[in-house]
């Protein structure tokens, strides 16, 4: 919105209106997010009036993420504030109250590569999944309240989202270890399989993977290598342990 010093004093509603109108005309989005700042919170810009006017004009969802610096409990990332905006404005409550046989996988900062290992295992178990909010879709977010259960890939990032889905939409939150290393992945797979009645299939997959993992450990595939770890704080101890088991040294 290109706020200048003058705008922070006199207000910047007109610039916000212009910016959103331009976005809608250029890319035709299904949802527009407005990320505020402490400056906007202090000068009391009437963002909601702009939203009401433009939602009616363009017939799309416009969601304000309140980032005034005081509400979030995750000040380094603000993930809880972003999640709150999504849950409140996009996720729909099933009118019939019925649940469908699929799993919400809640992911915020994971890469497609890191998620791929889990989705391949779920494909083998024939468990349908809904990635959200990252790598998801608006339709997927709308349907999140219809899922049978939710699971998080990072405890630090996804727990709030999963808890709110459980408390407000009745979607069971499967609490499990992060799927890192043999023990973590095995625990993760067993808990998910138990909810979906796929225990026998899961044990077969675990047995097949154990032999493959053991070969990597025996071969010490990271022997003589220093490894730089980049991850969430809750995941680093498991990543460090796995690195050591494979013969590497954490740098």
């Amino acid at each position: 919105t290109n706020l200048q010093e003058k705008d922070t004093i006199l207000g910047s509603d007109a610039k916000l209106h212009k910016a959103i109108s331009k976005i809608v005309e250029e890319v035709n989005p299904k949802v527009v997010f407005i990320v505020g700042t402490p400056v906007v919170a202090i000068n009391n810009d009437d963002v909601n009036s702009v939203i009401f006017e433009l939602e009616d004009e363009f017939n799309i969802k416009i969601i304000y993420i309140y980032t005034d610096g005081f509400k979030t409990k995750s000040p380094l990332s603000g993930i809880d504030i972003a999640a709150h905006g999504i849950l409140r404005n996009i996720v729909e409550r099933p009118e019939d109250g019925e649940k469908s046989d699929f799993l919400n996988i809640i992911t915020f900062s994971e890469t497609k590569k890191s998620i791929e290992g889990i989705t391949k295992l779920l494909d083998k178990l024939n468990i349908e999944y809904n990635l959200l909010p990252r790598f998801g879709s608006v339709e997927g977010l709308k349907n999140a309240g219809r899922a049978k259960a939710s699971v998080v890939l990072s405890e630090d990032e996804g727990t709030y989202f999963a808890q709110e889905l459980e408390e407000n939409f009745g979607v069971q939150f499967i609490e499990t270890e992060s799927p890192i290393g043999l023990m973590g992945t095995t625990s993760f797979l067993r808990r998910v399989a138990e909810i979906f009645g796929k225990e026998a299939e899961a044990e077969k997959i675990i047995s097949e993977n154990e032999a493959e993992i053991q070969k990597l450990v025996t071969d010490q595939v990271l022997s003589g290598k220093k490894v730089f770890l980049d991850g969430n704080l809750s995941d680093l101890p498991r990543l460090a342990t796995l690195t050591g088991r494979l013969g590497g040294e954490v740098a």
Side-chain angles (χ1 to χ4, degrees), residues 128-147:
E128 287 187 44
Y129 52 85
N130 179 27
L131 289 174
L132 57 102
R134 196 173 194 196
F135 306 122
S137 64
V138 174
E139 287 307 311
L141 286 166
K142 285 181 179 178
N143 289 325
R146 192 177 282 279

Side-chain angles (χ1 to χ4, degrees), residues 23-38:
I23 287 168
V24 173
E25 289 166 9
E26 288 185 359
V27 298
N28 192 29
K30 293 181 180 177
V31 177
V32 173
F33 291 93
I34 301 171
V35 182
T37 65

Side-chain angles (χ1 to χ4, degrees), residues 148-162:
K148 186 172 187 176
S150 299
V151 71
V152 304
L153 296 186
S154 171
E155 185 182 336
D156 285 350
E157 295 179 345
T159 299
Y160 172 80
F161 203 106

